Amino acid sequence: MIHFVLLISRQGKVRLTKWYSPYSQKERNKVIRELSGVILTRGPKLCNFVEWRGYKVVYKRYASLYFCMCIDQDDNELEVLEIIHHYVEILDRYFGSVCELDLIFNFHKAYYILDELLIAGELQESSKKTVARLIAAQDALVETAKEQASSISNIIAQATK
Amino acid sequence: MAGSSLMETLFQRTLDDLIKGLRLSLIGEAPFISKAMDEIRREIKSTDHHTKAVALQKLSYLSSLHFYDMSFAAFHVVELLSSSRFSHKRIAYHCASLSFNDTTPVLVLITNQLRKDLSSTSEYEVSLALECLSRIATPDLATDLTPEIFTLLSSSKVFVRKKAIGVILRVFDKYPDAARVCFKRLVENLESSDPQIVSAAVGVFCELSSKDPRSYLPLAPEFYRILVDSKNNWVLIKLLKIFAKLVPLEPRLGKRVVEPICDLMRRTGAKSLVFECVRTVVTSFSDFESAVRLAVEKVREFLVDDDPNLKYLALQALLIVAPKHLWAVLENKEVVIKSLSDVDLNIKLESLRLVMAMVSETNVAEISRVLLNYALKSDPVFCNEILGSILSTCSRNVYEIIVDFDWYVMTLGEMSRIPHCQKGDEIERQLVDIGMRVKDVRPVLVRLGRDLLIDPSLLGNPFLHRILSAAAWVSGEYVEFSRNPLELMEALLQPRTNLLPPPIRAVYLQATFKVIIFCLHSYLVPPASQLVPERNRPEGSDLATSNASAQFEREEGFNPRVLNQSFDDISGDDSEEIGASGDQTTCLASLGTNVWTDESVMNLLNKVEMGVGPLSGSHDVEILERAQNLLCFIELIRQDIINCVSQKEESLLRDETEAYKIIKMMQDAFSNELGPVSVTTQERVPVPDGLELKENLEDLETILPAVQLTSSISFSPESPIQDETAAAPFPTIQNKEESEPSNESTFLLAEHRKRHGLYYLPSEKKDVPNDYPPANDPKSQGNAEDLVKLTEQSLVPKKKSNHEKPRPMVVKLDGDVVAIAAKPQRKDDSLSDAVREVLFRSDTKSSSSQLKPLDSSSSKSKGKEKVNVDTPESKEDLTIDKQDNQNQSSRKSKHQAHGKDRKHRSLRNAGDEMTENGQEGKKKSSHRRSRSKARQRTDAPPSVIPQTQELRVFMDGPPNLLPIQNPPNSNILDWVVLGGLIEFSDSASIVSNSSLQAQPFILLESPSPPPPLLPPPPPPPPPPPPPAELEVKPNILPYMTDSELFTPAIAAQSNGRSPHKRVPKVAFMFLSRGPIPLGPLWEMFFKGHEGLYTIYVHSHPSFVDSTPENSVFYKRRIPSEPVEWGTSTMIDAERRLLANALLDSSNERFVLLSESCTPLFNFTIAYNYLTNAHKSFTASFDDPRKSGRGRYNPNMSPTISISEWRKGSQWFEVSRKIALEIVSDTKYYPIFVEHCNPPCYMDEHYIPTLINIICPEENSNRSVTWVDWSKSGPHPGKFGRNDVSDEFLSKIRFGSNCTYNGNTTTSLCFLFARKFLPNTLEPLLQFSPLLLNSSVQL
């Protein structure tokens, strides 16, 4: 299974983290520091796998962003590479040629998309279209709610209650 | 209050603001965040959900990217969870899954909210809750919410269901008992038609089975089905992982699965899938040679790929395959070696591991040499990786692969001189270890030690200190092998030793002490009384005569001249010291020994005093103590020595002096050999009474805060080992080794002395501390190609090469070889219990209740009695399973006992059987029904149990997997165990068929032996598991082969003449490779005649079936094996088809058809033609030509004579009687298998000959399948779309004459025709009104 997903920028800034195995806040910090040390220093055209603490970390660089997933020893590295690519494609489709800034400012969106893709460290949806549809539906749900909430009458009702 | 809320709402910083602020970071990141955190803390308390939500959103951002603790907000998260708005809920759930853990106190508060959301009508809310649960579920939550999950597992919304499946993993983990509830539904999801659901379910099973594969063995048939059917690579990869886990547990499974996997490997274009296949094969199918070959082929493709990922993975795969199939590595060694110089460190490491995997005792020396040369020019990291792997490989299993220890010790020395070497600790350990374990190598070790000690430049390298420590130790301990103890002493006392850390200096001092004792001892003690008489010392010190030297020269090839020369160099430089030793610097103490003069001894003592003196004030306790000891010792003996000197002539009195006694004593002490100590020794020593090991040690730390623990090699006297070998002569130093290197290093020492002045007043300033030169010039600057060349020879596995020396004895202790093969204890965790229970229904309670004594059931109805009688057997099976899952032999023996037991019991029940015989008919029908149920899973309500059954079927019934009887109240399909046979029926039928009983049981129990089973065909065909294996025969182990299929088939036949009338059916048996191209035509053929035919399809096991449900071919495949044209596998397949068809007792006629066969008439005609025929329609003729009798093998005689030999078309039509004969034939089949090899083709001869021998009168000797032999050649004519025409068909249909049922001559001879290519379907369909026209009458 996938133990965690990390998105780290080339400068070592963390852009997204998702933990499927229990790690305390302290451990999370440590893991990220350790891994960015290992991964960011690796040159281009090297293989995308790093052995780390008995696990394997599969990473792939897209523009300035490193997508990393930590998996078990006997998991399939190529499959995970495909999952990463899959995720990137969905992000791309959602944001329209996604860039790092999109992810910075839409942190939660990237999160929700990941949640539709993986559950409990397993791939749950392999269809890009389906994920896009689900996310759009949920966005719509939020939008209608937001419209209601931001209407003036609502605010006044809130204020005077 | 309200105002502030309004203000908060309107002026709250959103997440966007926060992010923008962070990016601007006007006031620096940390202050900005702490300011933001303050805001959040305030806002989060707001009563307004929106404000709270935004605050939490910001908090979750800071928490997950900046690692701020957000546990303080846990309660607010819970509050927000209850918001009715989706957007709020989403944020709250996100926060919960981000920050909650098992210890979060508010977790108990969310159970109800989760339950509510899980049963919400909005699928998105459900999905939020599920996602959160998948992350935070605790045992309590899992327990409470299992019912909801259970419901969701069969939700109609795919979106929700797949998430529920994902959550299962966590729920099972936290609350294993949930498996009792949910497992069945989870399994059902494997059969779902939605690929995403299947994918999710397979993913879960993949994870589950990685923890405890055994529990999921019963699901193997289901997995197999998906493996064959699925085209989704994600699913396939997971399935392969599952099989990789399952196959090692059940070898028979491997045979089934290996073919589809290989097929997948060949077929797929997806690299990830190919790699998974490869990995599965190399990990779990390493016994399947051809599969491994294929995998290695793929690996090779990967290896040469440009993609570093593939290369890396290929190397890993090779590493897995290496232990069992070294050839795979050797075949690719060129690439492997080249990879050593890859740019990627990871790839380099993998290839290094592979190279080390290739090491054997014959090539270890060469490989090590090559690698060491390579290490010299590698970067430090990789260099040390190389050294590390050489060290660990060579020392594996107490230096298993080392034959030439001299070489190895020298190699260790070489390693220590590699500039980047940081493996000092390990080298130190091994040097000492080898010294203790291998006696024969000690002289070399001492020489190496001397070379290392004497080189002052090494002292400057801190990485080498540990090695020097080992060198000092071996030099001191085995000083008797030293050529020149004096020199050694100098080296040990050289001023630069103050660069060493104190613990190592202490070792140096101790070594000095040993050397002194040795020198003094050899000075004082007359050789006659020497401990080691073999050393052959000369008579007395002052008698170091030429005569003795001559003796040495003669005896041992000793050559003092060379030595003298070397020392002359030194004496030239160093007048005082050497002068003191004078001419007898020939004090090659170890050998010539007693060449000591009194002056030299005095000199020695002085030197030691001078060198050690300053250390007596050391702050390090170890050094201090040892230095003091040494000084005191010298003080103690000095007077006596002086006396000795003054009374030179009376040297004979020496041995009375005090000094002599002391030295003798010390020498005795030191000569007590130290042996290796087993790691477990300490445990064996009982703690003496009153010795308190644990108390007060805490204080120690405060008292001695800065104590450095010294290296932890412990030595202990171990005389037993010594005693054993004491009689054996110590090897003497080989003089031929007295050559260049040591001279060179002696020269170095002399140089050093010249530089620093003798003895060595501390003059470090002159020293450049790290000026040691790299000991080995990296002169071999070759690149990878050179490497390849270099290793070319060494990697070729050689025959035992030139080991002049036999491998010396290596002392081993029992604790040395760690029991690697410790059997993994089966983890009997609760989840696997639960799963097993669901799969096997092995509730302990119910099974124990079934263990009633036999007699207690007598009052019940007969059927019940039967059940009760036999249940204990199944219970036995289960017990065996629990006791020992692995141990085949014990299982076997158990089963033999079991078989006897059963027989015994059956005698008692003989009376019952008699009555039961009368009920055959009823039993028969129930038997049939159950069978068809097993075959057509769609008919039965989906349940787990069929899979259990199918598994056995699948793997030919290992008895240890027998499910035991269901709890009586179960409403699903049950297992009833009947004697040796397991009957599958539903509980209703237990009552209705209360007397049901199976014929095979009687057959087996009858006093006459059962029909002999077929001997397994030469390449034992992997077990074909047709639906017939409802039967379990514990006395047939370990395989249930075709023969085990045939037995019930035969049995089904022999009692098949049931009293009541049946409508006969025709079995259409299709032997095909894959699909049936003319299927649509056949569909039309069969349409409307249900109940009059049964179809069986034997296709290649790897064929992926996509038959639609409404097809007559749907689910008609029988478990199959690969078929090769012209081999016995063809006959096996035909027999398999027949056996399956025989199991249906209404089948009266059996037609074998190929995939290219087309019907020529409609069903009614064919049916009537066949069922009314008196004879079978199988071509069988005596062909005198080469292609007939010419294929007869005289070795078949006398069983088959040439006059009985027949030839005929493979495509037979037989009656039930002949079908039975074919299936039960054990006499002729093996003869054919053995002797009928190409050009004898079994399919053309076996059945015709068999029929001719057994019942020629039952056969009409013609075939009803038309085929065109008019064209010459080995294969008949084929027909394409253009051949099909009205006239053509008419010619086939009515163009010949034959007899039917004796005397009727008819033109209707053929019902089917062969060799119609797939593209004839369209024209044939056009002619179908003609072909299937019902107006034609027989």
Side-chain angles (χ1 to χ4, degrees), chain A residues 65-115:
Chain A
L65 212 51
Y66 286 87
F67 289 68
C68 318
M69 291 190 184
C70 173
I71 52 171
D72 287 321
Q73 273 295 347
D74 53 357
D75 276 333
N76 190 319
E77 295 88 342
L78 296 174
E79 183 197 15
V80 176
L81 268 183
E82 275 173 48
I83 294 181
I84 290 177
H85 188 68
H86 202 59
Y87 181 43
V88 174
E89 280 185 330
I90 295 171
L91 288 174
D92 204 54
R93 186 178 286 208
Y94 183 81
F95 291 109
S97 73
V98 66
C99 68
E100 195 180 339
L101 270 183
D102 288 324
L103 298 188
I104 292 171
F105 283 103
N106 297 287
F107 167 75
H108 285 88
K109 294 275 170 55
Y111 229 115
Y112 299 141
I113 293 173
L114 187 61
D115 278 349

Side-chain angles (χ1 to χ4, degrees), chain B residues 1070-1078 1097-1107 1113 1117 1154-1156:
Chain B
F1070 287 87
L1071 183 57
S1072 76
R1073 270 165 288 220
I1076 297 168
L1078 304 181
V1097 180
H1098 186 291
S1099 45
H1100 195 274
S1102 65
F1103 166 60
V1104 180
D1105 201 356
S1106 54
T1107 315
F1113 296 104
R1117 274 177 82 177
S1154 79
E1155 62 208 11
S1156 68

Side-chain angles (χ1 to χ4, degrees), chain B residues 1068 1078 1081-1082 1085 1151 1153 1156-1167 1169 1262-1268 1279 1284-1296 1307-1316 1324 1327-1337:
Chain B
F1068 290 86
L1078 304 181
L1081 187 65
W1082 283 105
F1085 175 78
V1151 193
L1153 295 165
S1156 68
C1157 277
T1158 171
L1160 293 175
F1161 294 95
N1162 65 27
F1163 183 84
T1164 319
I1165 293 174
Y1167 178 82
Y1169 194 94
R1262 67 178 177 90
S1263 173
V1264 284
T1265 307
W1266 183 87
V1267 68
D1268 176 24
F1279 303 104
V1284 180
S1285 65
D1286 201 347
E1287 309 88 81
F1288 174 69
L1289 290 175
S1290 299
K1291 199 183 103 200
I1292 302 175
R1293 296 172 83 202
F1294 304 108
S1296 35
S1307 63
L1308 205 159
C1309 296
F1310 297 107
L1311 301 175
F1312 316 102
R1314 279 184 66 218
K1315 290 288 172 191
F1316 282 74
L1324 282 175
F1327 285 109
S1328 65
L1330 172 81
L1331 285 174
L1332 306 179
N1333 182 357
S1334 53
S1335 65
V1336 181
Q1337 289 301 320

Side-chain angles (χ1 to χ4, degrees), chain B residues 158 306 557 776 822 923 1041 1335:
Chain B
V158 173
D306 285 337
N776 282 335
K923 178 221 70 199
T1041 55
S1335 65

Side-chain angles (χ1 to χ4, degrees), chain A residues 32-57:
Chain A
I32 291 180
R33 255 186 292 121
E34 239 174 75
L35 277 180
S36 25
V38 176
I39 290 171
L40 300 184
T41 51
R42 282 176 67 80
K45 291 184 185 165
L46 301 187
C47 71
N48 296 73
F49 319 123
V50 176
E51 282 183 32
W52 173 80
R53 289 202 205 166
Y55 297 110
K56 275 187 204 144
V57 178

